[in-house]
Amino acid sequence: MQRPFICDETYKGNDYTQNPLPKAEYENCVFQNCRFSEGYLDNQNFMDCEFIECDLTNANIKHAVFKDCFFKDSKLIGLHFEDCDKMLFSVNFDTCNLSFASFFELSLSETKLVDCILKETDFTDCYLTSAVFRNCDLEKAIFSNTNLEKVNFSSSFNFDINPEENRMKGAKFSKDNLIGLLKKYDIVVT
């Protein structure tokens, strides 16, 4: 069955927690102040879409396509992005709460995360080459067997990254946040 193709639409203030967003291919659409928390976005296709001031907390996003999507001022707590379509996955985040989210085994090369809260977010086995974490709170974020080459962490904080368990050639840090690379050694820096 052919899905409807919806282009250039704006959805404002809609609550999709009880009545799910209709299955369709959404292109260049804007979702503003919409609620998807605990809802179903599985098997949806979003291309060049923006999610502004939306709540997607714990939404089901299995097999969803997020291609060139932008999230701003949104709550994405507990999302399992690894359940999305991996081939087309490309996203950027600005001032979002991504705590407890999981990006397990995803390619996030050149992804921009700006002013985001990433507490206990899982980046295990991710390919993050040239990604930018600008002013992000990475408290208890998980980096294990992660490709962090050329990643810019220079303004981020609260991270604990083991250089022996991750590829980090060319990664950028500031003098002030280098302690996040030394926590495993239990040394005191003054």
Side-chain angles (χ1 to χ4, degrees), residues 7 11 16 19 28 33 39 47 49 62 68 75 82 115 120 127 141-142 146 152 154 159 161 167 170 178 180 189:
C7 188
Y11 301 86
Y16 297 109
N19 298 311
N28 202 36
N33 197 26
M47 294 154 290
C49 291
K62 283 188 188 227
D68 297 324
K75 287 173 60 177
E82 74 270 14
D115 295 319
E120 297 190 44
Y127 186 80
I142 302 163
T146 306
N152 188 340
S154 59
F159 58 83
I161 301 172
R167 293 175 56 190
L178 278 177
V189 177

Side-chain angles (χ1 to χ4, degrees), residues 140-173:
K140 296 183 182 177
I142 302 163
F143 295 95
S144 178
N145 197 36
T146 306
N147 188 328
L148 299 171
E149 293 178 353
K150 299 180 183 174
V151 172
N152 188 340
F153 288 106
S154 59
S155 61
S156 288
F157 50 95
N158 289 335
F159 58 83
D160 182 359
I161 301 172
N162 184 343
E164 295 172 16
E165 293 180 359
N166 299 283
R167 293 175 56 190
M168 302 185 66
K169 185 175 183 179
K172 296 177 185 171
F173 298 89

Side-chain angles (χ1 to χ4, degrees), residues 24-55:
E25 294 195 21
Y26 296 89
E27 185 171 325
N28 202 36
C29 291
V30 175
F31 298 90
Q32 185 169 1
N33 197 26
C34 293
R35 289 192 62 223
F36 301 95
S37 58
E38 308 285 340
Y40 294 90
L41 292 174
D42 54 317
N43 296 299
Q44 293 282 25
N45 291 348
F46 300 102
M47 294 154 290
D48 296 306
C49 291
E50 293 183 30
F51 294 82
I52 302 166
E53 298 174 341
C54 290
D55 184 356

Side-chain angles (χ1 to χ4, degrees), residues 60-71:
N60 179 341
I61 55 174
K62 283 188 188 227
H63 309 292
V65 172
F66 290 101
K67 182 179 186 292
D68 297 324
C69 289
F70 178 67
F71 297 86

Side-chain angles (χ1 to χ4, degrees), residues 5 8 15 17 65 79 91 101-102 116 126 134 163:
F5 179 76
D8 300 322
D15 187 341
T17 56
V65 172
L79 288 189
V91 292
S102 177
C116 291
C126 278
R134 187 178 314 137

